[in-house]
């Protein structure tokens, strides 16, 4: 083979020659490694499920042959994926201690070790490593993503905003939804500390980051309502529903109460009828039952409800029907209807009516960040008829 390469030399360009000899040397080294007894000893330990002995052998090999870096990285990853984080850490720490590593190899080993630390819950150590990669602009998108995970865990929302900006600049990522949620988190903290003005500024920033952020819009409406500006609050509530009609069940109770406090019964009925027609099965129909009962009497309310349940059966609709029937019977809880109503109420409290649109995680309450896939603003209340399943 060497002779063949010498024959080719006159016609080969200098760079081509160097590439060929480099590749040949690598192949020879790989061939030698395949016949290295230590390599087989290591494999043997692995096959015999003696991972600690295997690690010792591979580490010993690394001291004489830095070409085994890829093998060590693969082995470390394997241990981490199997949940054996201590072993992964040992392999990756050993790699980083080798002075012969190329910048690329060292960057890769740092990234892997950082992920081991994350998996082990050692956030401070992981943060230091990812920050080192960030400073040297090595594996930047991965390092920034992991830093974001750490700062989210630590609820350091200011740091999350800084990292999100960097990710958008360097990794061509769109984090507008995440940024708006970080502003909402900061606004919540400000509100809890009594800093109302700061909370409003942060919520407006959330809306500037993502126009569709119902969380910010709802929080602004609630703050207006609590400060006594009911009319302004109603406008903000309606704007919230316009941003995302699926969010209606979260605000409908407050919309009904605020309109009632303002004495705007006609406007409220108009709104509920409009919602029932445009966005059915999100609670407007059941609030309409109450309004019809007040203005047209019990029978008209029952007729409307029976008609609605016949079209779209749901546990909530059935529950409302039972309540109306019980009221009609004089509100006695010892009747069969009363018992069924109470049991149904209990069953409904146990139901998971929220679901993540990304991973399918089911929850009994609204989470802004999915506890399962960690995505933001992906959990929604399922439509009434759908939530029974
Ligand atoms: Zn999810």
């Amino acid at each position: 083979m060497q002779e063949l390469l010498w024959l080719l030399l006159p016609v080969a360009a200098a760079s081509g020659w160097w590439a060929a000899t480099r590749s040949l040397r690598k192949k020879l080294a790989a061939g030698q490694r395949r016949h290295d007894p230590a390599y087989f000893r290591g494999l043997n330990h692995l096959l015999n499920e003696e991972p600690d002995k295997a690690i010792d052998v591979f580490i010993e090999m690394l001291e004489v042959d830095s070409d085994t870096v890829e093998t060590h990285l693969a082995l470390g990853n394997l241990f981490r994926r199997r949940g054996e984080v201590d072993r992964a850490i040992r392999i990756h720490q050993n790699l980083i201690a080798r002075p012969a590593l190329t910048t690329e190899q060292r960057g890769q080993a740092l990234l892997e070790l950082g992920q081991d630390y994350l998996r082990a819950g050692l956030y401070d150590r992981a943060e230091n490593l990812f920050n080192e990669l960030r400073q040297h602009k090595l594996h930047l998108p991965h390092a920034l993503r992991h830093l974001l995970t750490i700062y989210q865990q630590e609820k350091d929302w200011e740091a999350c905003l800084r990292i999100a900006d960097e990710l958008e600049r360097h990794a061509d990522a769109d984090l507008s939804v995440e940024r708006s949620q970080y502003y909402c988190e900061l606004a919540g903290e400000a509100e809890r500390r009594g800093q109302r003005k700061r909370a409003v500024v942060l919520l407006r920033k959330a809306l500037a980051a993502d126009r569709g952020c119902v969380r910010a819009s709802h929080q602004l409406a609630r703050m207006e309502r609590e400060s006594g500006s009911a009319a302004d609050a109603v406008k903000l509530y309606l704007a919230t529903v316009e941003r995302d009609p699926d969010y209606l069940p979260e605000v409908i109770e407050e919309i009904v109460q605020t309109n009632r406090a303002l004495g705007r019964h006609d406007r409220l009925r108009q709104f509920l009828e409009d919602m029932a027609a445009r966005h059915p099965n999100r609670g407007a129909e059941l609030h309409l039952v109450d309004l019809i009962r007040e203005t047209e009497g019990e029978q008209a309310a029952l007729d409307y409800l029976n008609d609605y349940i016949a079209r779209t059966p749901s546990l909530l609709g059935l529950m409302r029907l039972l309540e109306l029937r019980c009221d009609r019977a004089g509100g006695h809880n010892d009747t069969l209807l009363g018992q069924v109503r109470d049991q149904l109420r209990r069953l409904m409290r146990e139901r998971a009516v929220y679901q993540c649109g990304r991973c399918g995680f089911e929850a009994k309450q609204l989470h802004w960040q999915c506890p399962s896939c960690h995505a933001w603003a992906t959990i929604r209340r399922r439509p009434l008829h759908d939530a029974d399943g």
Side-chain angles (χ1 to χ4, degrees):
M1 190 71 181
Q2 288 278 6
E3 289 84 349
L4 190 67
L5 287 167
W6 278 113
L7 281 173
L8 285 172
L9 183 61
V11 287
S15 60
W17 160 251
W18 281 115
T21 49
R22 221 173 131 244
S23 137
L24 183 68
R25 250 187 279 131
K26 266 195 168 176
K27 276 179 192 158
L28 282 172
Q32 278 163 7
R33 194 164 63 241
R34 275 202 296 275
H35 297 105
D36 189 334
Y39 186 76
F40 283 113
R41 226 173 350 113
L43 273 181
N44 215 16
H45 285 310
L46 266 186
L47 291 171
N48 288 331
E49 300 201 1
E50 297 171 316
D52 287 318
K53 285 185 185 165
I55 294 170
D56 286 339
V57 173
F58 283 118
I59 285 173
E60 189 186 304
M61 281 174 69
L62 183 73
E63 290 190 313
V64 288
D65 181 4
S66 64
D67 279 347
T68 53
V69 169
E70 293 300 327
T71 315
H72 282 72
L73 284 171
L75 198 62
N77 282 352
L78 182 70
F79 281 128
R80 188 175 65 240
R81 275 206 298 274
R82 286 172 43 147
E84 297 171 58
V85 188
D86 287 352
R87 292 192 174 115
I89 289 175
R90 211 179 134 212
I91 289 176
H92 292 137
Q93 275 178 336
N94 207 282
L95 267 181
I96 288 164
R98 307 289 126 193
L101 291 190
T102 63
T103 311
E104 174 58 31
Q105 285 170 335
R106 191 179 148 75
Q108 188 65 43
L110 282 175
L111 185 66
E112 299 298 340
L113 184 59
Q115 290 175 77
D116 299 340
Y117 286 150
L118 257 190
R119 186 78 188 269
L122 302 166
Y123 292 125
D124 284 359
R125 290 192 195 180
E127 183 187 346
N128 287 340
L129 292 190
F130 294 135
N131 268 324
E132 192 177 330
L133 288 169
R134 178 184 174 202
Q135 277 155 17
H136 294 97
K137 301 221 178 323
L138 286 167
H139 301 282
L140 198 54
H142 290 294
L144 291 172
R145 286 271 175 201
H146 289 309
L147 280 171
L148 203 55
T149 303
I150 294 171
Y151 295 139
Q152 282 179 175
Q153 284 273 349
E154 293 174 345
K155 299 192 188 301
D156 186 345
W157 309 116
E158 298 275 6
C160 285
L161 280 167
R162 281 197 302 276
I163 299 293
D165 281 346
E166 262 186 78
L167 258 170
E168 287 194 326
R169 263 184 285 127
H170 297 297
D172 200 24
D174 177 11
L175 286 125
S176 47
V177 169
E178 285 81 355
R179 280 193 291 116
S180 68
Q181 293 291 326
Y182 302 149
Y183 281 123
C184 287
E185 293 286 347
L186 284 170
E189 285 176 4
E191 212 193 335
R192 284 191 288 279
R193 283 197 298 265
Q195 300 166 323
R196 196 178 176 278
K197 273 188 184 165
R198 180 173 151 75
V200 171
V201 170
L202 288 162
L203 291 171
R204 298 222 175 279
K205 283 186 178 179
L207 284 171
D210 173 20
R211 297 299 308 159
C213 182
V214 283
R215 183 184 184 184
S217 185
H218 183 188
Q219 212 163 326
L220 280 170
R222 197 177 35 73
M223 285 171 74
E224 281 295 336
R225 183 171 166 230
E226 284 166 7
S227 69
S229 317
D232 289 335
V234 168
K235 280 184 205 156
L236 287 163
Y237 279 125
L238 298 186
T240 307
V241 178
E242 284 305 314
R243 282 177 215 278
D244 181 3
D246 283 348
Y247 194 69
L248 180 64
E250 305 306 321
V251 284
I252 195 160
E253 189 70 46
E254 288 164 59
I255 292 177
V256 169
Q257 283 176 16
T258 318
N259 272 299
R260 278 180 183 272
L262 288 164
R264 293 176 178 174
H265 295 91
D266 289 346
R267 246 193 251 186
L268 177 59
R269 179 152 181 175
Q270 210 176 8
F271 166 76
L272 291 173
E273 282 173 350
D274 179 41
M275 286 294 120
R278 286 201 294 146
H279 310 294
N281 308 317
R282 286 178 175 81
E285 295 88 347
L286 299 182
H287 282 284
L288 262 177
V289 170
D290 294 337
L291 275 188
I292 293 171
R293 189 183 179 198
E294 285 166 28
T295 51
E296 296 167 37
E298 213 154 67
Q299 190 54 51
L302 274 169
D303 290 346
Y304 176 85
L305 185 56
N306 276 321
D307 184 44
Y308 172 56
I309 294 174
R311 274 183 286 124
T312 323
S314 71
L315 280 181
L316 261 178
L318 197 62
M319 176 79 187
R320 196 72 196 91
L321 184 67
L322 277 171
E323 283 170 347
L324 280 181
R325 292 272 181 208
C326 285
D327 286 355
R328 214 180 205 188
H332 296 302
N333 286 349
D334 54 350
T335 62
L336 179 65
L337 276 184
Q339 285 170 16
V340 174
R341 178 200 58 194
D342 292 346
Q343 290 304 321
L344 194 60
R345 235 178 229 165
R346 196 178 57 79
L347 281 174
M348 286 174 61
R349 273 200 295 271
E350 301 300 316
R351 289 182 319 158
V353 292
Y354 292 91
Q355 190 168 32
C356 174
R358 190 164 173 251
C359 73
F361 176 83
E362 293 185 340
K364 285 185 201 165
Q365 66 189 66
L366 177 64
H367 298 269
W368 288 107
Q369 188 181 21
C370 174
S372 175
C373 71
H374 306 297
W376 289 90
T378 50
I379 291 188
R380 299 282 172 86
R381 187 187 274 260
R382 294 147 76 184
L384 295 187
H385 58 295
D386 196 30
D388 297 344

